[in-house]
Amino acid sequence: MDLRELCFHLRHRRRMYVFDDRFLTVVGFVEGYNSALDGRPLRGFHDHVAERVLGRYSPRHWSMIIASAEPLVAARGDRDLHDLPQELQLSLTHRLVDLLEEYADQSRDA
């Protein structure tokens, strides 16, 4: 499965691959996918996310960069993403898939 296929399944068939709709569950699945392929699919994804979300480099994990762009997460000021409201969990998941698709398209064109 390539990155574009992964994005399709996470957008349209997510519950076939993960047991709930929490953002961190999807992050774990994506990291597992990447790890199983020796880190090749997401090589450079961190920098892509940092540039798209923050406009600059950040040492934080890409999942925290994505989450910190949400006003509710930023206002909380903590790093615990486990107890966010369900609608925010879904919003973050959709944003992650959007960024993965952008990255896959950009990587294919390079």
Side-chain angles (χ1 to χ4, degrees):
M1 177 183 314
D2 69 13
L3 191 53
R4 290 294 295 165
E5 289 174 290
L6 177 78
C7 291
F8 174 84
H9 291 300
L10 288 176
R11 189 173 302 282
H12 301 288
R13 299 180 178 143
R14 184 172 44 257
R15 293 305 282 275
M16 287 179 62
Y17 296 90
V18 296
F19 60 90
D20 63 28
D21 289 326
R22 290 181 312 130
F23 175 63
L24 291 180
T25 301
V26 177
V27 168
F29 180 77
V30 170
E31 285 287 16
Y33 163 82
N34 188 52
S35 181
L37 296 171
D38 296 322
R40 286 186 308 272
L42 298 186
R43 190 168 290 133
F45 181 64
H46 174 269
D47 293 338
H48 173 79
V49 170
E51 183 60 36
R52 293 286 289 129
V53 175
L54 301 174
R56 60 179 168 75
Y57 174 79
S58 172
R60 294 183 300 165
H61 188 266
W62 53 260
S63 61
M64 279 305 298
I65 295 171
I66 293 169
S68 68
E70 290 290 335
L72 177 62
V73 175
R76 290 167 40 132
D78 61 38
R79 302 199 187 291
D80 184 14
L81 302 178
H82 290 92
D83 62 346
L84 297 175
Q86 181 63 23
E87 61 275 0
L88 186 54
Q89 300 276 354
L90 288 172
S91 171
L92 290 171
T93 297
H94 292 302
R95 181 68 174 136
L96 168 57
V97 175
D98 291 344
L99 287 163
L100 285 169
E101 286 174 336
E102 283 178 14
Y103 180 70
D105 290 343
Q106 178 184 13
S107 297
R108 184 175 47 204
D109 293 340

